[in-house]
C-alpha cells in the first residue's frame, strides 16, 4: 500500500450501483426485502450475493486507486473465472473438493498503478484445463477497493450516519435533478435499491456524465420488489483538488416513471490536499509480479506474488456528511 498517501478501503457490495451486470437475469441473489430475511445470520456481506451458472456472465467496476480485493465462494459447484484489468486477462479456478460456508478471497492486487482501471469479472464455467471437476457456478459477495484521500500525515473531518431519521428523498419525475457544490478530496452518494429504480446520470464539474443503474440487485421486472434499504453506494469520486467542485444528478424516469432515492452525500475534507497525477503506463501494474488468488488452489498463498498481500482493514476515516435536496421533494416512501 502507498505510504505516501492516506489510504481508505471502500467496500462495494454486490447490490451497489457502482457494479454493472451485463445481464441481471442470469444472476440470482437473496431478496433483502423478503419476509424472514436476516442478514445478521448470513455469511455474506449484508446477507446478499450474486451467483450465476451462465458461462460468459460478467460484472464490471471502474476504480481509481492502487488496490482491489474480490470476495466470493469456492467449492465443488464452482468452475473457473476471468479477471480482466484494463487490457490484461487473468484466469483462476474456484473449484474445491469440499464446500465452503464463508466468503473467500478470490483475487487481490495491491500494486495497481494509480490510474482509472476497468475491472471485469467473467464466469467461464468448469474447465478441465484448470482442473475443475464440478459445476459451472461463480459467486460474487463483495469487492474492496482502495482510494486515496490526502497526502500522508493529513487529517480529515468527522463522520455521521448515512441515514437520517429513517427517511429519504425521492422522485419519479423524468429529468428531476439536484446539484451540490463542495470542497473535498472525495465524494460519495448513497441511496437504496429497488426494482422500480432505473437509470440516472451524475456529472462532476466539467467531466462527461456517468450513467448508472439504480435497479435492485435482484433484477427482474419493473415493480416495487426486492428493496435493499441498507445504504448503497450510488456514486463515488476521489482524487479531487482543493477547488470548488459541483455534482449534478439527474433521474431518467422515462416511460416507466422510475424512481431515484437519495439518502445522503458524504464529502471527505482533508487538512491538506494532494491530488495525484494518473499513471499513463500501458500496464495496470507497477511491477510484473501482479496478483494473488486464494481460490486458485488449496493453499491461499499457492500463487501469491510480491505486492499481493492483503492489508488489514483501514480504520474508518473521519468524514463529513451533507444532506442536500434540490428539485426533489423530501418524503418517506414505504
Amino acid at each position: 500500500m502507498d505510504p505516501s498517501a492516506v489510504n481508505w478501503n471502500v467496500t462495494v457490495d454486490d447490490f451497489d450501483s457502482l457494479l454493472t451486470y451485463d445481464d441481471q437475469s442470469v444472476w440470482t441473489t437473496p431478496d433483502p426485502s423478503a419476509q424472514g430475511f436476516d442478514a445478521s445470520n448470513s455469511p455474506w456481506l449484508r446477507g446478499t450475493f450474486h451467483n450465476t451458472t451462465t458461462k460468459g456472465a460478467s460484472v464490471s467496476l471502474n476504480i481509481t486507486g492502487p488496490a482491489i480485493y474480490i470476495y466470493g465462494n469456492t467449492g465443488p459447484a464452482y468452475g473457473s473465472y476471468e479477471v480482466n484489468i484494463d487490457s490484461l486477462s487473468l484466469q483462476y479456478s474456484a473449484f474445491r473438493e469440499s464446500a465452503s460456508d464463508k466468503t473467500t478471497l478470490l483475487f487481490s492486487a495491491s500494486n495497481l498503478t494509480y490510474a482509472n482501471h476497468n475491472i471485469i469479472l467473467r464466469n467461464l464455467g468448469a474447465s478441465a484445463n484448470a482442473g475443475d471437476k464440478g459445476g459451472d457456478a461463480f459467486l460474487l459477495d463483495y469487492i474492496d477497493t482502495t482510494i486515496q484521500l490526502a497526502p500522508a500525515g493529513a487529517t480529515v473531518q468527522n463522520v455521521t450516519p448515512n441515514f437520517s431519521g429513517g427517511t429519504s428523498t425521492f422522485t419519479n419525475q423524468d429529468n428531476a435533478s439536484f446539484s451540490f457544490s463542495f470542497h473535498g478530496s472525495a465524494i460519495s452518494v448513497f441511496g437504496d435499491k429497488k426494482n422500480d429504480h432505473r437509470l440516472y446520470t451524475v456529472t462532476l464539474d466539467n467531466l462527461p456524465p456517468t450513467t448508472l443503474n439504480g435497479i435492485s440487485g435482484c433484477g427482474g421486472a419493473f415493480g416495487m420488489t426486492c428493496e435493499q434499504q441498507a445504504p448503497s453506494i450510488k456514486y463515488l469520486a476521489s482524487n479531487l483538488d482543493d477547488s470548488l467542485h459541483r455534482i449534478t444528478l439527474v433521474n431518467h424516469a422515462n416511460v416507466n416513471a422510475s424512481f431515484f432515492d437519495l439518502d445522503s452525500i458524504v464529502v471527505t475534507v482533508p487538512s491538506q490536499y494532494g491530488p495525484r497525477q494518473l499513471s499513463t503506463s500501458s500496464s495496470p501494474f507497477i511491477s510484473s509480479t501482479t496478483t494473488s488468488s486464494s481460490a486458485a488452489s488449496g493453499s491461499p498463498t499457492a500463487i501469491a506474488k510480491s505486492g499481493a498481500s492483503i492489508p488489514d482493514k483501514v480504520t474508518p476515516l473521519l468524514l463529513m456528511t451533507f444532506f442536500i435536496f434540490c428539485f426533489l421533494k423530501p418524503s418517506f416512501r414505504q
Side-chain angles (χ1 to χ4, degrees):
M1 197 57 59
D2 187 352
S4 67
V6 175
N7 298 289
W8 178 40
N9 277 6
V10 176
T11 297
V12 181
D13 186 48
D14 64 296
F15 263 64
D16 284 346
S17 292
L18 299 185
L19 293 175
T20 300
Y21 294 90
D22 62 332
D23 183 355
Q24 285 272 18
S25 68
V26 300
W27 298 82
T28 59
T29 182
D31 182 346
S33 62
Q35 186 175 4
F37 177 83
D38 184 3
S40 65
N41 289 325
S42 171
W44 316 113
L45 182 68
R46 294 183 175 177
T48 64
F49 57 80
H50 269 65
N51 186 70
T52 186
T53 57
T54 300
K55 294 181 180 181
S58 67
V59 55
S60 62
L61 169 71
N62 293 317
I63 65 171
T64 303
I68 187 168
Y69 311 93
I70 301 170
Y71 293 85
N73 198 22
T74 59
Y78 301 102
S80 292
Y81 57 96
E82 184 177 74
V83 181
N84 291 330
I85 305 179
D86 302 332
S87 59
L88 182 65
S89 178
L90 304 163
Q91 293 185 13
Y92 303 96
S93 174
F95 173 78
R96 290 285 198 281
E97 294 286 352
S98 57
S100 172
D101 60 354
K102 61 183 179 180
T103 191
T104 302
L105 179 68
L106 297 180
F107 176 85
S108 71
S110 59
N111 63 337
L112 296 177
T113 57
Y114 195 83
N116 298 322
H117 297 292
N118 176 244
I119 313 296
I120 302 175
L121 307 179
R122 181 173 288 107
N123 181 40
L124 300 178
S127 169
N129 292 335
D132 299 337
K133 303 174 184 178
D136 292 325
F138 174 79
L139 185 147
L140 173 65
D141 187 8
Y142 66 94
I143 297 174
D144 274 347
T145 182
T146 303
I147 64 173
Q148 297 182 336
L149 301 178
T155 59
V156 290
Q157 292 179 278
N158 208 351
V159 66
T160 58
N162 293 322
F163 281 80
S164 176
T167 63
S168 66
T169 297
F170 67 87
T171 184
N172 67 340
Q173 297 299 305
D174 194 32
N175 293 320
S177 67
F178 72 85
S179 296
F180 173 50
S181 297
F182 65 97
H183 288 280
S185 63
I187 185 168
S188 303
V189 178
F190 292 88
D192 72 352
K193 303 273 288 186
K194 203 170 184 178
N195 274 337
D196 59 0
H197 294 46
R198 286 297 188 267
L199 298 179
Y200 59 96
T201 56
V202 183
T203 303
L204 172 64
D205 298 333
N206 295 318
L207 297 175
T210 298
T211 300
L212 298 162
N213 199 334
I215 190 174
S216 167
C218 300
F222 185 86
M224 297 178 63
T225 57
C226 196
E227 183 172 18
Q228 173 59 284
Q229 292 185 337
S232 171
I233 305 175
K234 311 285 278 189
Y235 176 76
L236 171 67
S238 61
N239 199 42
L240 305 179
D241 61 24
D242 61 355
S243 65
L244 181 65
H245 300 283
R246 182 179 178 87
I247 66 165
T248 299
L249 187 148
V250 180
N251 183 50
H252 298 285
N254 297 320
V255 295
N256 285 327
S258 58
F259 285 85
F260 180 88
D261 286 46
L262 171 67
D263 294 300
S264 67
I265 299 174
V266 179
V267 174
T268 305
V269 183
S271 61
Q272 179 184 355
Y273 288 81
R276 297 188 55 180
Q277 188 74 25
L278 297 180
S279 171
T280 58
S281 171
S282 60
S283 170
F285 298 102
I286 295 174
S287 63
S288 59
T289 52
T290 57
T291 64
S292 170
S293 169
S294 63
S297 77
S299 170
T301 58
I303 63 166
K305 307 288 184 66
S306 62
S309 61
I310 304 172
D312 294 334
K313 287 285 186 178
V314 178
T315 302
L317 296 178
L318 304 177
L319 307 174
M320 176 178 289
T321 300
F322 295 88
F323 295 86
I324 303 296
F325 310 117
C326 304
F327 304 113
L328 299 179
K329 180 181 179 182
S331 304
F332 176 68
R333 185 158 69 97
Q334 298 293 332

